[in-house]
Amino acid sequence: MANYLAQFQTIKSACPYLIVAVEDASDIWPTVKSSFEQRLPFKKACLNNKTRNPVFLENLPAEFVLTTDARLRSRFPQEQYLFWFREPYATLVLATCEDLDEFKNILKPRLKVFAQNDEREWFIVFVSRAHPSNDQDTKMAKKVYARFEADFSSKKRERCCKFDMYGPEPNFWEELEFSIIESIKNTLDRRIQFYEDEIRKLSEQRFMPIWNFCNFFILKESLAFMFEMAQLHEDALREYDELELCYMETVNNSGMHREFGGLDRGDDQAALLNPGNKSLTQIVLDETFREFEFRQYLFGCQSKLLFKLNRSFEVASRGYSFIISFSKSLESNESMLPFCMREVWVITACLTLISATGTRYNGEDEAPEIEKEFYRVQGDLYSLCRTKLLRLAYLIGYGMEIERSPVNSASLSMLPWPRPAVWPSVPDEASSEVVVKEQMLRQESPRAKHFGLQRKPLPLEPTVLVCAANQRKTSFSVGNASELFDGELVSDDGLASDESATKSPADKAQAIMMSRTYSSPGNFDCSIGRPMRLAEIFVASEHALKKTISNPDLQKCLLSIESFEKKYMELTKGAADNYHHSWWKRYGVVLDGEIAAVCFKRGNFDQAAKSYEKVCALYAGEGWEDLLAEVLPNLAECQKALNDQHGYLSSCVRLLSLDEGLFSAKERQTFQSEVVSLAHSETTHHVPLDVSSLITFSGNPGSPMALCDGDPGTLSVTVWSGFPDDITLDSISVTLMATYNADEGGKLRNSNATVLKPGRNPITFPLPPQKPGSYVLGVLTGHVGNLTFRSHSFSKGGPADSDDFMSYEKPTRPILKVFKPRSLADLSAAISSALLINETQWIGIIAQPIKYSLKGAALHIETGSGLMIEESHSIEMESYRNSAQGSADTANSGDAAKDFSPHANKRFEKLCLVNGKIDFPEWASDVSSILWIPVCAIDDKLSGGSSSGGPDQQSILGRMRTIALKLEFGISKNQIYERTIALHFSDPFHVSTRIVDQCNDDTLLLQVILHSQLNATLSVCDACLDLQSGFIHAGQGNGRPISGYFPLVISPTSKAGLLFHLCLKKRSAEDEDKVPPENILNIRYGISGDRTIGAHPPVATKSNEIKDTGRDLTFSSALVLQQPILNPCLAVGFLPLPFDCLRVGKLVTIKWRVERLKAIEEKRVPQNNDEMLYEINANSDKWMLAGRKRGHTSLAMKQGSRVVISILCMPLVAGYIHPPHLGLPDFDEANISCSPIGCHMVCVLPPAPSSSFCISA
């Protein structure tokens, strides 16, 4: 079967589409060919895949081929069996005839023979050539077609359709395509089953001696190619994947040695995307294929299918994995391959994949995650290609031009040297090149770093190249090994000693060359026994690579250093750009540093600085200080060359901020000297600089500094300096920020020159007055010459468990707390009991300092409404001592805790009120004191009695007065304490009444109870009750109580009673005008009390008058007495409502009946007309009234007269609610009787359910 490989590959290239055979039974195909081929490719086809699941295709390419075509001629059975995938998948039979006789005698026998072949999927198309205008021909054509259908079609399947040449039916093409696709589907299913059976048979023989992979390959790829022709690319890809797995298993499990391949000219150029690079007959072995070409062929077939599926990302991802895997195979067979074949093949493979996938990739159709992953794979391909190119460049002597960066060292030091069977030797004609190369090695020296830094160069080689190359010589002379390393020892693994390893390649080459004599430089006899020198290795590798590399572009980039750098920059930029678009943005930044190194070497400092800044930002953010120490000096050198003073100073500060172990003390001093010299340079103009990483600061350990609002002070701040030596600051400032508002705060400045020593430095700042609140340190700023620096960082001055430890993981500790004024002094009332209203009383104000001096304090007093200060009397001030405790915390603990008793050190002084202000004396600055101020509360309203036991709340609040106090104190009177004190004033008594007894002779015994409202002793000297109309005093009638025990002494907050005898009787008309409108109780009393307790006798009008403690005071109170209803004049009755008439939303009429019982005798009621005023009140939330709610109605003056008052209303809520109420404003309640008594609540039902949308059953 392997003999058919050439024919198999030819058939594949010649038959790219599915074949639909055309059996032209009537020689009519040339006429209809164009019409049929216009329908290709078929639209919206449905085929079954390998698992018999339907797959819908938008396009199905096919080709119409006549059965007489040479491609479909009969073959040998075995040949047809092998290439069954190219056989027709459907047969289209074209037939036409004029009459039934021709059909019966000529056409039908031929078609019967064709239809008996069960292996074919056939379909008959009857072509009608009858013109539509010829009815006879048209009818005959219909009859003939009917015979076609009757003889060849069945109920299970239609096999005929009619094509009219002069105008086919509209659904003809749909029927034709459906029939052809159905035939292709059936044929494809049978052939898939056939190939699966054959492949299964061969798979079962895999471990038998007769197994032949070529046979298995032809069957497997035939099936895959058939899927590809049918546009079932997923199934075809799966077949190639299985074929690759089977091949790798065959290669790995076979014990015999096989030819690997890759020895032909041009094999160094990867053909992993070109499956037709070599024919299968060129790579076939006895029963299998060469691995080098065949694995690339399989991947090329897979990538072709993936590109058809628009899966460029998968091509790139699979390609990268394939390159890594195939590179290991190349490594294992490296001894049989040309020199550096592996590196060259990887470079060309990566470039091929990058170009192919980049041009075909369409990111608009992919998800964001897939897009980022695609760019990541592209970056990996660029990076791998870049690494291999660096290895080739190092082998030909470009090692001094490669930047010894961490990324280059990490990739190249882990990449092994090439391991050819024999290391190439120097050609005879290249002796002059060796001399030139040695001179270059001797002249070149490592570039000195900025600041004079001495660093051990990072290695770019896994082992010493000289040792690795000479180990591959045919006969290595052990005795000459000392010449390789200038007499140094060589370890067992071929590595030089540590001291030798630290030398650069140029130093090694120079040491080697100096140990030799150059009397005849042209004589380079690389005979057996003498090891190769480094220059010889470079020249030999270069000539060997020229033989290996067939790609002209790759050859060109290795011809010169400039060409190499150009290609190196192209690959590095490609990798960086792709990484920037992927998830691995940090990889892109790292590669930006490699681009910066090349730009820096070329003198392009601007571009180099931009790239170095990105790299430094990444290393600093990740905390990679070792890597930052390698790159940051280069950035500083670029900035200095660009005259970027700010950037250069920032880089110097960042170098000083790195770990001290990364640089020596001398190098750190160099950094500092650069900063200081540039700061004092005349060319520097106020350069701002952030030194947060170098100079840190914090507050002192312990509690924050405490100040009062407005007080100045001195704030101490600890500053840590990271400079290696002392540095002098021209000025230094620090800002304070309030914790409650970032905009609040201030700036503290120390204008004196300050010397910062390495480590901890305490610095003091004058602190002006600050607003109340907590403050934290904000920003530290200062000047060094023309340099303005600032620091935002806080120090970590102590261990993690101490209060002085500062970190960004916890809130910043406050350094200053400024307290509010209320915490410095307190003003409170000396007494809390009531004072006597309308009389001059002493009020006591306690002024208490709280750990703060009240020296020079002034108290501003402002009285509220209804309160006035008796300015004619002086204000008294005396010292005050709290008997409960001496601290200020209990100054407001109440009267029980206060002590006004005299003591030995008690001070007393009289003060004057000037413009509402009182100045405190000197002795009151540190002790508590009390101010006695004479005030008078004015209230012209007559006090009223009640029938309850005590005064109502409204009466108590009406007698409250306020006094506003404002205390100014402090050094500059900046401390202010304000408070408004409420003062309680009251009448001496609260009067309440009670009917003790109602006698049969219309007399009453009225008890008047006097409630004392003052914390003082009251003495009632006399009392008199003036009665209103309707009441008179019984007996003598002088208004005095019948209990005349005077004087009546009433203790504080106690009660006393007076008893009056009254009579219900009308007065004469002459006396009616003399009676008061209200009952007035007049009391003459005296008071005895102390101002330190509460109410007391009134203060004398002037200070020099003597207090008159025996002067009687007068108190009057109005009493309310209601005449009982004994003889009513009117009767009002609520008429009953109908049953179930109250519903929400339903109108109802409510009625009241008013009946006159007798004539009204009161004088104030008009008697000259019969008009009566009425008023109806109702809750508007529950009732809606319709009609007159207030008006007059006629009621005759005759006894027994009646009238009915009605109103239309509607309830708004359901439930038990109060009905509307009828009122008679012109009549007192004493003249109205309710008979019968009206209902208190009525029941309102919910609204009736609506039946508008109900349908009867």
Side-chain angles (χ1 to χ4, degrees):
M1 190 181 291
N3 300 327
Y4 292 99
L5 282 175
Q7 188 177 1
F8 172 71
Q9 197 165 7
T10 304
I11 293 173
K12 278 182 58 179
S13 59
C15 299
Y17 306 118
L18 298 176
I19 294 177
V20 179
V22 179
E23 180 69 26
D24 192 3
S26 302
D27 297 332
I28 201 171
W29 172 246
T31 307
V32 299
K33 178 179 178 180
S34 59
S35 300
F36 277 71
E37 290 183 346
Q38 288 178 359
R39 309 302 299 180
L40 297 177
F42 300 120
K43 309 296 183 182
K44 297 182 179 180
C46 180
L47 301 178
N48 292 332
N49 61 6
K50 186 177 180 180
T51 58
R52 302 301 185 269
N53 294 321
V55 178
F56 295 92
L57 305 174
E58 293 294 331
N59 292 304
L60 180 61
E63 183 180 3
F64 291 107
V65 179
L66 287 171
T67 54
T68 58
D69 192 280
R71 290 176 291 177
L72 300 182
R73 287 180 299 179
S74 60
R75 308 176 189 86
F76 295 104
Q78 187 178 8
E79 182 183 355
Q80 189 175 6
Y81 155 75
L82 285 175
F83 309 123
W84 202 13
F85 65 88
R86 61 158 293 177
E87 293 299 316
Y89 289 80
T91 302
L92 185 65
V93 181
L94 294 177
T96 183
C97 59
E98 301 297 337
D99 51 23
L100 293 175
D101 293 337
E102 182 182 355
F103 169 75
K104 182 177 180 180
N105 298 325
I106 302 174
L107 194 59
K108 181 177 178 180
R110 294 178 57 187
L111 296 180
K112 282 291 184 180
V113 175
F114 185 82
Q116 289 176 359
N117 190 350
D118 296 334
E119 295 182 358
R120 295 182 179 179
E121 287 288 335
W122 53 273
F123 188 77
I124 299 175
V125 177
F126 174 71
V127 180
S128 174
R129 292 183 291 189
H131 198 276
S133 60
N134 192 336
D135 294 340
Q136 184 177 358
D137 293 346
T138 303
K139 291 179 181 180
M140 181 57 65
K142 290 181 179 180
K143 291 180 181 181
V144 173
Y145 178 66
R147 291 300 303 273
F148 268 93
E149 287 184 325
D151 293 341
F152 297 101
S153 295
S154 63
K155 294 182 179 179
K156 295 182 179 180
R157 186 172 181 183
E158 290 288 339
R159 290 186 178 272
C160 300
C161 66
K162 179 183 177 184
F163 176 71
D164 193 347
M165 294 184 59
Y166 296 98
E169 298 181 2
N171 57 348
F172 167 74
W173 296 113
E174 286 76 8
E175 293 179 1
L176 178 65
E177 290 184 6
F178 175 79
S179 301
I180 294 176
I181 293 174
E182 187 69 19
S183 300
I184 293 175
K185 180 179 179 181
N186 296 334
T187 304
L188 185 64
D189 292 343
R190 288 198 302 270
R191 293 182 183 178
I192 291 174
Q193 187 63 43
F194 165 75
Y195 277 112
E196 285 184 349
D197 295 340
E198 294 298 322
I199 292 172
R200 187 180 303 108
K201 292 177 184 178
L202 287 179
S203 298
E204 294 173 355
Q205 302 173 2
R206 287 170 56 187
F207 301 103
M208 296 182 180
I210 61 173
W211 164 258
N212 190 305
F213 181 79
C214 290
N215 300 340
F216 181 81
F217 163 73
I218 292 177
L219 289 176
K220 198 72 172 174
E221 190 172 30
S222 297
L223 178 60
F225 186 68
M226 185 172 63
F227 282 133
E228 185 177 355
M229 289 193 300
Q231 304 300 306
L232 299 176
H233 301 305
E234 291 284 357
D235 295 86
L237 180 63
R238 192 177 298 110
E239 296 300 320
Y240 279 114
D241 292 341
E242 294 176 0
L243 184 60
E244 182 183 12
L245 291 175
C246 183
Y247 176 76
M248 295 305 300
E249 184 178 354
T250 303
V251 171
N252 296 331
N253 293 338
S254 60
M256 65 180 64
H257 177 73
R258 299 177 181 276
E259 182 181 349
F260 180 75
L263 301 177
D264 299 336
R265 179 64 178 172
D267 284 349
D268 61 297
Q269 300 187 52
L272 71 169
L273 296 182
N274 184 15
N277 182 50
K278 289 185 179 181
S279 63
L280 295 174
T281 55
Q282 294 180 265
I283 62 176
V284 67
L285 295 176
D286 295 335
E287 72 279 354
T288 182
F289 299 94
R290 293 202 301 260
E291 181 180 353
F292 180 82
E293 291 87 356
F294 189 68
R295 288 186 63 184
Q296 295 187 71
Y297 170 80
L298 290 179
F299 184 83
C301 295
Q302 294 169 348
S303 60
K304 181 178 66 173
L305 293 172
L306 290 172
F307 280 133
K308 290 181 179 181
L309 291 171
N310 294 325
R311 285 152 61 175
S312 302
F313 160 68
E314 193 168 347
V315 175
S317 179
R318 285 189 175 205
Y320 182 76
S321 301
F322 177 78
I323 291 173
I324 299 299
S325 174
F326 198 71
S327 177
K328 294 179 181 179
S329 299
L330 292 174
E331 182 181 2
S332 60
N333 295 275
E334 192 171 3
S335 60
M336 299 180 295
L337 297 175
F339 182 69
C340 289
M341 176 71 175
R342 176 165 61 103
E343 286 76 9
V344 176
W345 185 91
V346 170
I347 292 174
T348 56
C350 291
L351 294 176
T352 303
L353 269 178
I354 290 170
S355 176
T357 56
T359 54
R360 289 179 174 89
Y361 179 74
N362 184 11
E364 298 178 356
D365 300 334
E366 301 290 351
E369 294 79 7
I370 299 298
E371 183 178 3
K372 290 183 178 294
E373 194 66 16
F374 171 77
Y375 287 118
R376 196 268 304 169
V377 176
Q378 291 286 95
D380 288 346
L381 291 171
Y382 271 110
S383 182
L384 179 61
C385 182
R386 170 184 172 275
T387 302
K388 297 298 183 180
L389 182 65
L390 287 175
R391 170 57 76 228
L392 295 182
Y394 192 91
L395 286 174
I396 63 177
Y398 294 165
M400 293 300 298
E401 303 300 326
I402 300 176
E403 178 71 16
R404 292 180 174 267
S405 61
V407 61
N408 287 342
S409 175
S411 57
L412 293 179
S413 61
M414 294 187 296
L415 188 65
W417 295 115
R419 290 194 292 266
V422 178
W423 194 276
S425 59
V426 180
D428 295 337
E429 66 274 7
S431 57
S432 60
E433 297 180 17
V434 176
V435 177
V436 175
K437 189 71 69 174
E438 287 180 343
Q439 291 177 353
M440 292 175 57
L441 294 175
R442 194 182 306 112
Q443 293 174 359
E444 291 180 352
S445 60
R447 182 180 57 86
K449 283 185 171 290
H450 190 48
F451 302 112
L453 300 178
Q454 298 294 331
R455 287 292 178 272
K456 178 182 177 181
L458 297 175
L460 295 179
E461 56 279 331
T463 59
V464 179
L465 179 59
V466 177
C467 181
N470 284 281
Q471 284 179 350
R472 293 287 168 181
K473 286 179 63 65
T474 54
S475 110
F476 183 80
S477 177
V478 181
N480 295 332
S482 60
E483 298 182 8
L484 301 177
F485 311 106
D486 196 15
E488 296 170 356
L489 295 177
V490 183
S491 60
D492 294 339
D493 57 356
L495 296 177
S497 62
D498 295 339
E499 183 179 356
S500 178
T502 59
K503 293 184 178 181
S504 64
D507 295 336
K508 295 175 184 177
Q510 185 175 0
I512 295 172
M513 295 300 295
M514 293 299 294
S515 64
R516 303 178 182 273
T517 59
Y518 298 101
S519 57
S520 58
N523 183 14
F524 292 93
D525 183 17
C526 297
S527 61
I528 296 176
R530 185 180 66 82
M532 297 177 65
R533 299 191 300 273
L534 187 62
E536 294 174 338
I537 294 173
F538 290 157
V539 174
S541 300
E542 185 175 359
H543 281 271
L545 280 175
K546 289 180 180 179
K547 297 179 180 179
T548 303
I549 300 174
S550 61
N551 188 338
D553 294 335
L554 185 56
Q555 286 182 347
K556 181 180 179 181
C557 73
L558 295 177
L559 289 178
S560 64
I561 295 177
E562 291 75 14
S563 302
F564 160 70
E565 283 188 353
K566 181 179 179 182
K567 190 65 176 180
Y568 170 76
M569 285 289 287
E570 177 186 342
L571 296 177
T572 307
K573 286 181 179 180
D577 293 342
N578 281 279
Y579 280 137
H580 281 306
H581 289 88
S582 70
W583 305 106
W584 295 4
K585 298 184 182 298
R586 292 187 296 181
Y587 282 62
V589 176
V590 172
L591 291 177
D592 285 338
E594 303 306 306
I595 299 173
V598 177
C599 294
F600 177 74
K601 186 174 64 174
R602 293 178 178 176
N604 189 357
F605 298 113
D606 188 18
Q607 183 64 34
K610 293 178 181 178
S611 299
Y612 275 136
E613 286 175 356
K614 297 179 184 178
V615 179
C616 291
L618 172 64
Y619 291 166
E622 298 294 337
W624 301 336
E625 292 194 351
D626 292 346
L627 299 177
L628 186 60
E630 295 289 336
V631 180
L632 196 54
N634 298 335
L635 174 60
E637 188 172 356
C638 292
Q639 292 166 338
K640 187 173 183 180
L642 294 172
N643 197 22
D644 182 8
Q645 296 178 353
H646 178 269
Y648 182 65
L649 287 172
S650 298
S651 298
C652 292
V653 170
R654 293 171 71 180
L655 287 170
L656 288 169
S657 305
L658 297 179
D659 188 81
E660 295 182 0
L662 298 175
F663 299 101
S664 64
K666 184 177 180 181
E667 291 171 345
R668 290 173 54 82
Q669 290 173 357
T670 304
F671 301 153
Q672 180 176 345
S673 63
E674 287 288 325
V675 174
V676 175
S677 61
L678 191 58
H680 292 87
S681 175
E682 297 180 356
T683 59
T684 306
H685 301 286
H686 300 288
V687 179
L689 187 62
D690 190 345
V691 295
S692 300
S693 58
L694 188 61
I695 298 179
T696 58
F697 58 95
S698 70
N700 290 326
S703 303
M705 180 180 180
L707 288 179
C708 300
D709 177 42
D711 290 344
T714 302
L715 183 65
S716 179
V717 177
T718 302
V719 179
W720 274 268
S721 173
F723 287 99
D725 292 335
D726 297 349
I727 185 171
T728 302
L729 308 181
D730 298 339
S731 64
I732 186 170
S733 304
V734 67
T735 59
L736 293 177
M737 294 190 304
T739 56
Y740 61 90
N741 188 355
D743 296 333
E744 295 291 341
K747 187 174 184 179
L748 311 182
R749 183 180 179 86
N750 188 342
S751 301
N752 300 325
T754 304
V755 177
L756 287 184
K757 298 181 179 180
R760 181 170 180 168
N761 298 271
I763 300 177
T764 57
F765 295 90
L767 181 64
Q770 303 293 324
K771 292 183 179 181
S774 297
Y775 291 85
V776 296
L777 294 175
V779 181
L780 184 73
T781 58
H783 289 82
V784 179
N786 294 325
L787 175 64
T788 302
F789 67 87
R790 60 191 293 118
S791 174
H792 304 266
S793 178
F794 299 97
S795 301
K796 300 180 179 180
D801 55 350
S802 67
D803 294 336
D804 194 38
F805 182 78
M806 310 297 291
S807 69
Y808 299 103
E809 286 76 18
K810 65 178 183 180
T812 306
R813 183 171 56 87
I815 190 175
L816 173 65
K817 287 187 177 180
V818 180
F819 298 99
K820 294 182 179 181
R822 57 184 176 87
S823 302
L824 305 178
D826 186 40
L827 297 175
S828 60
I831 57 175
S832 59
S833 57
L835 299 175
L836 191 59
I837 199 167
N838 291 324
E839 299 292 344
T840 305
Q841 299 281 287
W842 291 103
I843 61 170
I845 304 298
I846 300 175
Q848 189 173 20
I850 303 177
K851 296 181 182 180
Y852 199 87
S853 176
L854 297 182
K855 183 177 180 180
L859 179 65
H860 296 264
I861 304 174
E862 183 178 355
T863 59
S865 176
L867 184 67
M868 57 179 295
I869 300 177
E870 293 293 343
E871 298 184 0
S872 59
H873 199 285
S874 61
I875 296 175
E876 300 177 2
M877 187 174 188
E878 59 186 12
S879 59
Y880 164 74
R881 181 175 62 87
N882 192 337
S883 60
Q885 59 184 12
S887 65
D889 297 335
T890 59
N892 299 326
S893 58
D895 295 339
K898 298 173 183 177
D899 184 14
F900 299 95
S901 61
H903 51 276
N905 298 325
K906 189 170 184 178
R907 306 291 296 272
F908 179 84
E909 188 172 345
K910 289 187 177 182
L911 306 175
C912 296
L913 182 66
V914 180
N915 296 328
K917 184 179 72 171
I918 301 174
D919 295 327
F920 278 29
E922 184 73 20
W923 58 266
S925 59
D926 298 324
V927 298
S928 299
S929 58
I930 183 170
L931 286 166
W932 294 106
I933 304 172
V935 297
C936 180
I938 307 300
D939 189 1
D940 298 334
K941 186 185 296 184
L942 183 63
S943 177
S946 65
S947 59
S948 60
D952 57 349
Q953 188 69 19
Q954 191 66 25
S955 176
I956 296 175
L957 294 177
R959 301 299 176 89
M960 297 294 292
R961 299 294 185 267
T962 59
I963 181 170
L965 304 176
K966 179 181 179 182
L967 181 63
E968 295 180 349
F969 58 100
I971 299 176
S972 57
K973 297 292 181 69
N974 57 320
Q975 304 290 353
I976 298 176
Y977 178 74
E978 296 180 346
R979 184 173 182 179
T980 300
I981 297 177
L983 303 175
H984 182 202
F985 292 87
S986 176
D987 292 320
F989 307 101
H990 173 70
V991 181
S992 62
T993 59
R994 186 170 68 92
I995 302 297
V996 179
D997 189 15
Q998 182 175 351
C999 304
N1000 294 330
D1001 55 353
D1002 292 341
T1003 60
L1004 302 173
L1005 291 179
L1006 177 65
Q1007 183 183 19
V1008 177
I1009 303 173
L1010 304 179
H1011 303 258
S1012 175
Q1013 300 187 91
L1014 303 178
N1015 194 10
T1017 302
L1018 300 176
S1019 299
V1020 179
C1021 300
D1022 194 7
C1024 179
L1025 179 60
D1026 296 334
L1027 298 175
Q1028 66 182 50
S1029 176
F1031 300 93
I1032 61 174
H1033 290 277
Q1036 297 179 1
N1038 56 0
R1040 297 290 188 274
I1042 59 176
S1043 57
Y1045 300 101
F1046 295 109
L1048 182 60
V1049 179
I1050 304 175
S1051 301
T1053 67
S1054 61
K1055 302 177 184 179
L1058 301 176
L1059 190 61
F1060 293 90
H1061 190 195
L1062 307 181
C1063 179
L1064 298 174
K1065 187 177 180 181
K1066 292 293 182 179
R1067 300 175 184 267
S1068 61
E1070 293 79 7
D1071 298 335
E1072 187 71 22
D1073 297 332
K1074 301 178 182 179
V1075 299
E1078 295 177 320
N1079 302 303
I1080 304 299
L1081 176 63
N1082 298 310
I1083 299 176
R1084 185 166 55 87
Y1085 70 98
I1087 183 172
S1088 176
D1090 189 359
R1091 69 180 183 181
T1092 61
I1093 299 176
H1096 53 275
V1099 183
T1101 307
K1102 296 183 180 181
S1103 300
N1104 53 5
E1105 293 183 1
I1106 301 175
K1107 296 179 181 179
D1108 185 7
T1109 57
R1111 183 170 65 89
D1112 293 338
L1113 304 177
T1114 303
F1115 170 71
S1116 299
S1117 176
L1119 304 180
V1120 177
L1121 299 177
Q1122 183 175 352
Q1123 183 180 3
I1125 304 175
L1126 300 178
N1127 296 313
C1129 300
L1130 296 177
V1132 179
F1134 185 86
L1135 298 183
L1137 297 172
F1139 175 73
D1140 194 19
C1141 67
L1142 289 180
R1143 285 188 178 273
V1144 175
K1146 181 179 179 181
L1147 293 174
V1148 65
T1149 302
I1150 296 181
K1151 300 179 181 180
W1152 295 269
R1153 183 173 63 193
V1154 181
E1155 181 179 355
R1156 189 181 294 279
L1157 300 180
K1158 65 179 181 179
I1160 298 177
E1161 299 178 358
E1162 294 186 11
K1163 182 179 180 181
R1164 64 177 181 271
V1165 180
Q1167 300 291 330
N1168 53 357
N1169 56 51
D1170 55 0
E1171 292 292 328
M1172 181 180 64
L1173 178 64
Y1174 70 91
E1175 184 178 20
I1176 300 175
N1177 299 315
N1179 189 344
S1180 60
D1181 294 335
K1182 300 178 181 180
W1183 294 92
M1184 178 183 291
L1185 302 181
R1188 179 176 296 178
K1189 294 187 290 184
R1190 181 182 176 91
H1192 291 81
T1193 184
S1194 177
L1195 181 62
M1197 302 297 294
K1198 182 180 178 181
Q1199 184 177 357
S1201 301
R1202 296 181 180 181
V1203 67
V1204 176
I1205 300 175
S1206 63
I1207 191 169
L1208 192 63
C1209 58
M1210 180 174 63
L1212 302 178
V1213 294
Y1216 288 90
I1217 59 176
H1218 292 280
H1221 171 70
L1222 175 65
L1224 303 176
D1226 289 343
F1227 295 89
D1228 293 336
E1229 293 182 0
N1231 301 120
I1232 301 175
S1233 174
C1234 294
S1235 178
I1237 299 175
C1239 56
H1240 296 283
M1241 306 284 281
V1242 295
C1243 180
V1244 179
L1245 301 177
S1250 176
S1251 60
S1252 300
F1253 299 99
C1254 298
I1255 301 175
S1256 59

